[in-house]
Amino acid sequence: MECSDGIPRTSSRDVSLKELSRRLAEFAQVGEVGELSEIFQWKGEVAKGLPNWSEDEKEHLEEELSDVLLYLVQLADVCGLDLGQAALTKILKNANKYPLLTNNNNNSM
């Protein structure tokens, strides 16, 4: 069944365990990304390697990044997608879309 907003709807009896798992993973992912972004919310500019962060802050960041990664892997699995291959494909697509400028390409002065 499709509603007026174009989003397919099903009765509660039609929702499979896999679909329910996928939906729950999506909602959990939103929460985890929120927790991750909260870490950076008041940090301002962050230097590479996090030299001004305490070990506790780094550990907290590692935990939240891991949560996001694990939910992404789970969601890709439930959807039957090869996340590693999708990432490689995206990197290649971006490389073609946004090529690196070299000194030879940037001698307009």
Side-chain angles (χ1 to χ4, degrees), residues 2 13 31 34-35 37-38 62 74 79 93 107-109:
E2 194 171 287
R13 284 181 242 157
E35 289 178 22
S37 65
E38 196 176 283
E62 286 176 339
Q74 178 189 11
C79 294
K93 194 180 282 188
N107 283 336
S108 59
M109 293 181 173

Side-chain angles (χ1 to χ4, degrees), residues 65-77:
L65 284 168
S66 296
D67 285 344
V68 171
L69 176 64
L70 293 171
Y71 276 112
L72 285 174
V73 169
Q74 178 189 11
L75 182 57
D77 182 58

Side-chain angles (χ1 to χ4, degrees), residues 46-62:
V46 177
K48 185 174 182 174
L50 310 174
N52 300 323
W53 288 41
S54 71
E55 287 307 311
D56 285 344
E57 289 173 317
K58 289 179 183 181
E59 183 179 342
H60 184 212
L61 177 59
E62 286 176 339

Side-chain angles (χ1 to χ4, degrees), residues 5-46:
D5 59 6
I7 298 173
R9 303 282 194 253
T10 59
S11 73
S12 61
R13 284 181 242 157
D14 294 335
V15 178
S16 70
L17 182 56
K18 237 180 180 179
E19 176 66 12
L20 182 58
S21 175
R22 185 186 65 78
R23 289 180 185 176
L24 290 174
E26 288 172 352
F27 289 128
Q29 182 68 32
V30 169
E32 293 300 337
V33 170
E35 289 178 22
L36 178 60
S37 65
E38 196 176 283
I39 293 172
F40 292 98
Q41 185 173 4
W42 308 110
K43 289 287 188 187
E45 190 71 25
V46 177

